[in-house]
Amino acid sequence: MALLKVDDLKIHFPIHGGILNRKIDEVKAVDGVSFEVREGETYGLVGESGSGKTTTGKAVMGLNNITDGDIYFEDSHLNAKKGKKVDVRNDIQMIFQDPYSSLNPRKRVIDIVAEPIRNYEKLSKDEEKKRVQELLERVGISSDSIMKYPHEFSGGQRQRIGVARAIALNPKLIIADEPVSALDVSVQAQVLNFLQDIQKEMDLTLFFIAHDLGVIKHMCDRIGIMYQGRLVEEGLTEEIFNNPQHIYTKRLVAAIPDVDPRNREKHREFRAQIKEEYQQSFYDYFNEEGLAFNLKQITDTHKVALPERG
Amino acid sequence: MWKFIVRRLIITLPQLLLLSLLVFFMASLMPGDAFTSQIDPSLSQDAIEEQRERLGLNDPWYQQYGRWVSGVAEGDFGTSTAHYRPVTDLIWERMINTIWLSLLSVIFIYAIGIPLGIISGRWNDRLVDQIITGYTYLGFATPIFIFALVVLFFFGFTLGWFPTGGSVASGLEPGSFEYIVSKLHHLLLPALSIALIGVVGTVQYLRSEIIDTKQKDFIITARAKGAPESRVYNRHIFRNSVLPIAAFFGYEITMLITGSVFVEQIFSYPGMGNLFIESILIRDFPVVTAVVLLFGLAAILGALLSDIILSIVDPRIRIK
Amino acid sequence: MLSQELLKINNLSTSFQIDEEYYAAVDDVSLTVRENEVLAIVGESGSGKSATAFSIMGLHNRGKIEGEMLFQGQDLAKLSTSEMNKIRGKDMSMIFQDPLTALNPLMEIGVQIGEVLLLHNKNMSKTERRNYAIELLGRVGIPRPERVVDQFPHELSGGMRQRVIIAIAIANQPKLLIADEPTTALDVTIQAQILDLIQELKDDLNSGVILITHDLGVVAEMADRVAVMYAGQIVEESDVESVFVNPQHPYTRSLLSSIPATDYAQDRLHVIQGIVPSLKHLPRTGCRFKGRIPWIDDDAHEDHPVLHEVSEGHFVRCTCYQHFYFPDENKEDQANGVTEG
């Protein structure tokens, strides 16, 4: 069942210019994106900078103005016109990229973690403290540290505090926007393992946004590949990595370094070959504006943006 | 860039309108009116009323405002009630004096401030920086009128090196060499007083700008190219740090023109600030109004000038 | 036959002052770089890899440097700044991590490239420098170089700016190129292009390259030899194949098991317990990695760990590698990398 459904989402940002600073053009950051995130799965949205992946994530959180399209969460229409708006913000939470800047350095851990609780529930001081301690223990941080400040923790621990805040209201969906890209390899492994644990424990659905295909491959059940505001391909992780159909997906996959140095020459040749194919067949895969076509179903689970035949 | 300048000019128009309205209402709120000081106490109430009617002082405000603005636009600020001369004439010569004073002060500020800021920023936390920073703290803490009084007393009266009032010695032929020297002689002390206090902001700003730029990644790039320290500083650090200072030029000028009020008064220097205070004391409201309007105008134009300079020196704005 | 040695570092230590006392961020490091060879220095933040690069370039202005760095017969550690300035930018140059901040925002691209030409070749005229800058921009794959030469950094994308930085680095045909995390800030497809470019330029110029990175994928693609650094020391050094196919040191093995989507990683990623100690709190005696593999017997470690040659050209520090095994997953999960600081 779809927990989150994004239907033909468009987010256009105006560009102001000219003498009177009027709107002269717009950036189509997200331009007709549709996908579903199913209950209990991890859905990955991949793309390079400027692809619109983060903008999409923020739109689901209600942090961006939506130009057109609809977002549904468990059958409630998130961007319905005024009056009918449903508050599902305690069901959807977000984890951010940089554990160093996403926590207020002047607040103690207890205040950071309790912030969402204070917004939605009325608890006594003691109840609140107990709740925060439980949450911290759940993310593997000693409950004695509630009075500490963010700078007293390592990068991985800070990201855990961010997670503790995110799960404080027992959300159903967590949007993780590049949660490990600012971390060292070993710390990254810590956070990824931990996200998987917490997902199992709490029956969470994860909406994972990242540019690192290795991380995405490791974490996700299904993947959507974004390019210039549109999805170019969507499918199960194996389908995307073993049988990519769109030339852009092929190129992304080929760009992942191979960790076996013995394959180096082969991999480099393969990459060069894909690059050539990309340049030669660009207009077989993209329209005159260089944008992707609409997604077409090629198997039950696999969709690719290919032009209409004929 | 041209688009930016034109857009910036358009923004200036409503500012000017607002300024003129503000000044007009301020003037009408002042105790009495243009007429109060001319009243002969022996005149009858009816006669006064008649006069007021004749001068248009009983008309609705927008008619008075319209008359006033169209006059101002033609350079007519009315007649000084104290001197019985057109305000424009009165202000004109004072304005020239103030502009000279401000210009010289600005030259001093940059001549003192840029080297001090550079030294202080380059050798930050060394002894020389601590001395300079100490001076800037003192400068911030010292009110300009007290400092100006001390300077005047010491160099003007005690040592007698400088004249203690006026803008030029009397009896000299305007334009002659002696005339110019005498002008400079009169300007030096007030300009230095303004500069020595006014410079502290520039020094501190430049210092922190340099310390900031020193830590930028592109400085490492420059060193990795094999650039000697002198080039790293001159070409990369100072250049990048001084540009924002250049952009403050407009604000600086405005600040000086309006800030000269006290200093001109203390040095009895016949400038606009001096005129302003005199006119308030003798309730010469047409002059007060005109001076306030000109100060406001200077502020608007200064900001405009700064933005334009910034758009010229910073490519990130220039190319947009 | 081995090609000629270009840079030979013997017992380099670089220390920084914290509260009146010096702490070594690079501790007794010895390395050799040969012509037309890529030496990768791998490690996480705090391992001392960037500090090593900055020491070679003489870019630490506050560090205390000990040891020898022989480059073309000269000891870089003994050179004055003005002598260094004759070498950096010419025979030895550097590519930086963040292309968004490594260029002067208020200077045209052409002038920034021209500067490195001017500094090492006073005879070049302004026009010659400009023309050569255009040629270099074309060389590093920038489209329409005659236009870009007059542009400012903010008008270019991150990938293009990194190409400009590479153009500056190769302007005087350096013999040694130091690349400090050259692709970390870039997108994957751009990363592949930049790596290919560095490889290509290295072959053309026959230069030696020191590649500093935390990304093992990049190492596998680029390096001929690899030095793995942990807490200021080299813990393993060998040719690239041995490091990936037959890694020995517990740290190397742990790192390889912690990267996702590789043949090494299982369903669950391996997590190295604890955190990299800060410079001030580094253990200075015994095996520095000991605290992060507490399930390994204390006797397995040496008191004064040295590099052992385990096979030809393959060095591993400390004897603990002989006794290392990955712990039981469940036990590991309890600790899960958490230590209260």
Side-chain angles (χ1 to χ4, degrees):
Chain A
M1 195 198 114
L3 184 69
L4 175 74
K5 187 167 186 279
V6 173
D7 189 22
D8 202 20
L9 179 70
K10 288 184 182 153
I11 299 167
H12 298 177
F13 296 114
I15 301 173
H16 295 282
I19 284 173
L20 292 173
N21 218 3
R22 274 190 309 205
K23 189 180 130 179
I24 49 169
D25 203 351
E26 52 187 8
V27 181
K28 295 176 177 172
V30 179
D31 195 25
V33 164
S34 307
F35 61 91
E36 288 180 5
V37 180
R38 294 174 199 151
E39 213 170 321
E41 76 169 346
T42 302
Y43 184 88
L45 200 55
V46 199
E48 299 189 279
S49 40
S51 61
K53 55 183 193 305
T54 298
T55 313
T56 306
K58 282 188 176 160
V60 175
M61 278 302 290
L63 299 174
N64 264 332
N65 283 327
I66 292 169
T67 312
D68 199 12
D70 301 291
I71 300 176
Y72 300 93
F73 182 80
E74 288 188 316
D75 304 324
S76 37
H77 192 188
L78 291 195
N79 60 320
K81 297 275 171 280
K82 264 179 204 154
K84 288 182 193 164
K85 227 170 201 166
V86 206
D87 194 3
V88 289
R89 267 180 301 164
N90 43 3
D91 285 334
I92 309 178
Q93 288 293 328
M94 196 157 184
I95 317 173
F96 299 93
Q97 172 173 2
D98 189 353
Y100 296 90
S101 62
S102 60
L103 304 180
N104 186 338
R106 275 183 286 277
K107 278 190 176 171
R108 291 175 191 276
V109 169
I110 183 165
D111 297 316
I112 292 171
V113 176
E115 192 195 318
I117 305 175
R118 287 174 191 164
N119 289 339
Y120 284 91
E121 292 171 36
K122 286 248 177 298
L123 293 181
S124 73
K125 275 263 175 280
D126 282 344
E127 284 170 336
E128 184 186 284
K129 191 176 158 194
K130 228 179 112 206
R131 184 81 168 270
V132 170
Q133 283 175 328
E134 276 169 22
L135 284 165
L136 286 178
E137 265 165 27
R138 198 159 194 177
V139 299
I141 284 177
S142 155
S143 54
D144 305 335
S145 15
I146 50 168
M147 296 314 271
K148 287 189 181 173
Y149 288 94
H151 72 262
E152 297 175 70
F153 296 89
S154 70
Q157 289 174 322
R158 269 182 250 196
Q159 198 57 292
R160 286 157 185 269
I161 295 171
V163 174
R165 175 174 61 183
I167 60 172
L169 295 167
N170 285 313
K172 293 177 179 147
L173 175 71
I174 285 193
I175 303 175
D177 186 7
E178 302 268 10
V180 294
S181 57
L183 304 173
D184 263 326
V185 198
S186 63
V187 184
Q188 168 180 311
Q190 236 183 68
V191 173
L192 293 180
N193 277 357
F194 162 71
L195 278 175
Q196 286 179 328
D197 293 344
I198 210 97
Q199 175 175 29
K200 227 179 282 168
E201 247 174 68
M202 300 186 63
D203 274 331
L204 284 172
T205 306
L206 271 181
F207 179 24
F208 206 97
I209 300 169
H211 73 280
D212 185 328
L213 287 142
V215 171
I216 285 281
K217 186 178 175 187
H218 179 77
M219 292 295 287
C220 301
D221 304 308
R222 293 195 307 128
I223 297 171
I225 310 270
M226 272 188 94
Y227 176 75
Q228 305 244 322
R230 294 186 182 181
L231 277 171
V232 297
E233 191 158 355
E234 185 192 57
L236 301 175
T237 303
E238 309 85 71
E239 289 170 329
I240 296 290
F241 281 91
N242 302 335
N243 185 25
Q245 292 297 310
H246 198 279
I247 187 64
Y248 180 71
T249 316
K250 286 184 193 172
R251 196 163 178 221
L252 270 189
V253 172
I256 312 174
D258 191 324
V259 282
D260 192 339
R262 288 170 299 187
N263 301 336
R264 189 186 285 180
E265 282 313 309
K266 228 169 50 192
H267 190 66
R268 191 167 288 158
E269 272 167 37
F270 172 63
R271 201 161 65 204
Q273 188 194 320
I274 294 285
K275 190 181 169 191
E276 208 182 306
E277 194 187 329
Y278 181 82
Q279 278 156 355
Q280 280 171 1
S281 60
F282 189 84
Y283 287 105
D284 298 342
Y285 291 94
F286 296 101
N287 66 16
E288 311 81 59
E289 292 169 75
L291 297 173
F293 298 104
N294 291 327
L295 285 178
K296 260 199 272 310
Q297 203 91 35
I298 56 165
T299 72
D300 282 353
T301 47
H302 198 165
K303 292 177 190 170
V304 189
L306 291 172
E308 306 288 337
R309 297 267 173 240
Chain B
M1 184 180 72
W2 285 113
K3 270 187 196 160
F4 174 82
I5 292 178
V6 172
R7 198 185 314 150
R8 188 61 189 72
L9 279 170
I10 291 173
I11 296 171
T12 316
L13 292 176
Q15 287 179 334
L16 287 175
L17 180 72
L18 198 70
L19 172 73
S20 66
L21 278 170
L22 260 167
V23 171
F24 177 77
F25 281 110
M26 188 198 71
S28 50
L29 282 177
M30 281 185 194
D33 52 41
F35 197 55
T36 316
S37 61
Q38 300 174 32
I39 295 171
D40 184 340
S42 61
L43 225 57
S44 75
Q45 198 59 36
D46 286 351
I48 293 171
E49 226 11 78
E50 196 181 305
Q51 282 281 48
R52 293 179 64 90
E53 191 64 41
R54 193 173 60 79
L55 288 168
L57 292 172
N58 290 340
D59 289 348
W61 69 270
Y62 48 87
Q63 282 184 11
Q64 295 192 43
Y65 172 73
R67 258 200 314 272
W68 177 73
V69 163
S70 54
V72 165
E74 286 163 19
D76 175 15
F77 288 97
T79 308
S80 160
T81 49
H83 303 272
Y84 301 102
R85 282 175 63 194
V87 175
T88 318
D89 291 356
L90 202 64
I91 286 181
W92 182 247
E93 48 192 65
R94 301 297 195 102
M95 195 160 76
I96 302 284
N97 283 338
T98 293
I99 287 174
W100 280 122
L101 177 61
S102 303
L103 266 180
L104 194 67
S105 306
V106 154
I107 291 170
F108 280 140
I109 283 181
Y110 286 132
I112 301 168
I114 290 178
L116 284 188
I118 284 176
I119 291 168
S120 183
R122 174 159 186 178
W123 288 285
N124 63 310
D125 299 332
R126 307 271 189 87
L127 182 66
V128 61
D129 169 48
Q130 283 163 357
I131 292 169
I132 293 172
T133 318
Y135 162 60
T136 61
Y137 288 146
L138 259 173
F140 268 125
T142 314
I144 179 120
F145 55 90
I146 294 199
F147 181 70
L149 270 176
V150 172
V151 167
L152 176 70
F153 179 77
F154 191 70
F155 292 100
F157 288 104
T158 315
L159 293 174
W161 292 353
F162 292 96
T164 55
S167 72
V168 66
S170 54
L172 290 169
E173 178 77 23
S176 69
F177 181 70
E178 288 81 10
Y179 182 83
I180 294 169
V181 169
S182 163
K183 271 235 161 203
L184 270 176
H185 198 205
H186 282 81
L187 274 172
L188 216 51
L189 215 47
L192 265 177
S193 311
I194 293 174
L196 285 174
I197 295 294
V199 77
V200 294
T202 307
V203 174
Q204 289 210 336
Y205 186 81
L206 189 56
R207 174 182 184 270
S208 62
E209 196 70 23
I210 285 175
I211 293 172
D212 199 42
T213 313
K214 259 163 60 168
Q215 287 154 355
K216 292 272 166 70
D217 284 351
F218 65 83
I219 299 304
I220 300 176
T221 309
R223 291 208 174 99
K225 283 175 179 176
E229 281 306 278
S230 58
R231 189 181 173 90
V232 171
Y233 273 94
N234 294 332
R235 277 309 182 94
H236 294 277
I237 298 175
F238 297 155
R239 191 164 168 272
N240 286 44
S241 313
V242 169
L243 288 184
I245 296 275
F248 276 128
F249 181 74
Y251 290 112
E252 192 91 50
I253 284 275
T254 316
M255 221 179 63
L256 288 176
I257 289 182
T258 48
S260 58
V261 173
F262 289 120
V263 175
E264 286 181 1
Q265 188 65 18
I266 286 163
F267 287 94
S268 322
Y269 182 81
M272 292 240 285
N274 183 268
L275 177 69
F276 181 62
I277 290 183
E278 273 174 22
S279 309
I280 289 177
L281 294 178
I282 55 173
R283 302 190 155 217
D284 194 348
F285 291 129
V287 176
V288 173
T289 313
V291 173
V292 169
L293 186 70
L294 285 174
F295 280 168
L297 195 66
I300 290 175
L301 292 181
L304 177 70
L305 187 64
S306 272
D307 283 352
I308 290 175
I309 294 177
L310 189 66
S311 77
I312 292 169
V313 296
D314 193 331
R316 283 165 295 193
I317 297 178
R318 191 198 318 161
I319 286 154
K320 226 167 156 184
Chain C
M1 197 190 80
L2 288 174
S3 52
Q4 201 157 357
E5 282 181 7
L6 200 61
L7 173 73
K8 193 164 170 51
I9 299 175
N10 294 321
N11 312 99
L12 172 72
S13 292
T14 304
S15 319
F16 298 101
Q17 203 174 10
I18 308 170
D19 306 331
E20 310 282 302
E21 228 168 306
Y22 278 96
Y23 295 89
V26 178
D27 201 347
D28 198 21
V29 164
S30 300
L31 284 169
T32 303
V33 190
R34 296 187 168 79
E35 280 180 353
N36 201 9
E37 177 191 67
V38 179
L39 168 76
I41 304 181
V42 201
E44 298 182 274
S45 35
S47 63
K49 57 187 194 306
S50 286
T52 306
F54 273 60
S55 304
I56 300 168
M57 288 293 287
L59 292 173
H60 285 305
N61 36 9
R62 275 162 208 247
K64 188 175 78 182
I65 293 182
E66 292 155 299
E68 275 187 329
M69 295 181 279
L70 297 170
F71 179 67
Q72 301 183 311
Q74 278 178 300
D75 184 359
L76 299 177
K78 291 206 176 65
L79 295 185
S80 68
T81 308
S82 65
E83 286 167 321
M84 263 320 266
N85 282 337
K86 292 195 183 100
I87 298 175
R88 356 179 229 215
K90 185 164 185 285
D91 295 330
M92 187 167 88
S93 60
M94 190 153 172
I95 302 168
F96 298 93
Q97 174 172 356
D98 190 354
L100 300 182
T101 55
L103 292 169
N104 188 332
L106 301 182
M107 228 183 231
E108 292 95 334
I109 300 296
V111 178
Q112 304 203 40
I113 300 175
E115 183 173 34
V116 75
L117 297 171
L118 172 77
L119 285 165
H120 300 285
N121 190 349
K122 304 272 183 261
N123 301 325
M124 252 179 151
S125 73
K126 207 172 170 184
T127 341
E128 282 171 331
R129 289 203 302 267
R130 191 187 136 89
N131 289 338
Y132 191 48
I134 294 173
E135 199 185 314
L136 281 166
L137 287 173
R139 180 76 195 76
V140 296
I142 289 183
R144 289 188 295 172
E146 56 297 316
R147 216 180 91 106
V148 171
V149 77
D150 294 320
Q151 286 184 314
F152 287 90
H154 73 274
E155 298 174 82
L156 305 179
S157 69
M160 285 299 142
R161 284 191 229 182
Q162 192 60 304
R163 283 171 196 271
V164 171
I165 290 165
I166 294 176
I168 292 172
I170 61 155
N172 293 311
Q173 286 105 30
K175 303 212 168 51
L176 177 67
L177 195 59
I178 301 175
D180 186 7
E181 304 267 10
T183 57
T184 307
L186 303 174
D187 275 326
V188 249
T189 53
I190 314 289
Q191 159 169 308
Q193 291 167 18
I194 295 290
L195 294 180
D196 286 347
L197 176 65
I198 293 175
Q199 192 83 36
E200 197 187 308
L201 293 167
K202 180 208 75 172
D203 290 341
D204 281 3
L205 301 169
N206 199 33
S207 326
V209 175
I210 299 179
L211 176 70
I212 313 261
T213 182
H214 71 279
D215 188 334
L216 290 158
V218 171
V219 177
E221 292 250 332
M222 292 284 290
D224 297 309
R225 287 187 67 77
V226 181
V228 182
M229 282 187 81
Y230 179 78
Q233 292 179 321
I234 292 177
V235 293
E236 183 158 3
E237 190 197 341
S238 87
D239 62 281
V240 66
E241 224 176 284
S242 303
V243 165
F244 283 89
V245 179
N246 188 22
Q248 294 295 321
H249 195 277
Y251 180 60
T252 318
R253 290 174 63 187
S254 307
L255 266 190
L256 281 167
S257 317
S258 65
I259 43 175
T262 68
D263 305 341
Y264 302 93
Q266 309 301 315
D267 269 359
R268 284 187 71 75
L269 303 169
H270 173 66
V271 169
I272 306 176
Q273 292 192 11
I275 50 166
V276 182
S278 68
L279 192 52
K280 206 173 158 181
H281 298 111
L282 266 186
R284 298 283 165 184
T285 52
C287 179
R288 295 190 180 181
F289 200 58
K290 191 167 149 186
R292 306 196 63 182
I293 42 171
W295 65 92
I296 302 294
D297 213 17
D298 269 6
D299 298 341
H301 300 279
E302 277 177 283
D303 290 339
H304 301 284
V306 291
L307 285 168
H308 304 274
E309 188 159 15
V310 296
S311 58
E312 205 195 327
H314 190 165
F315 299 88
V316 182
R317 190 177 293 275
C318 192
T319 44
C320 58
Y321 76 94
Q322 293 164 347
H323 308 274
F324 179 71
Y325 59 91
F326 284 111
D328 186 34
E329 241 196 40
N330 294 330
K331 248 194 253 164
E332 174 217 335
D333 258 13
Q334 287 166 6
N336 215 351
V338 180
T339 23
E340 292 305 323

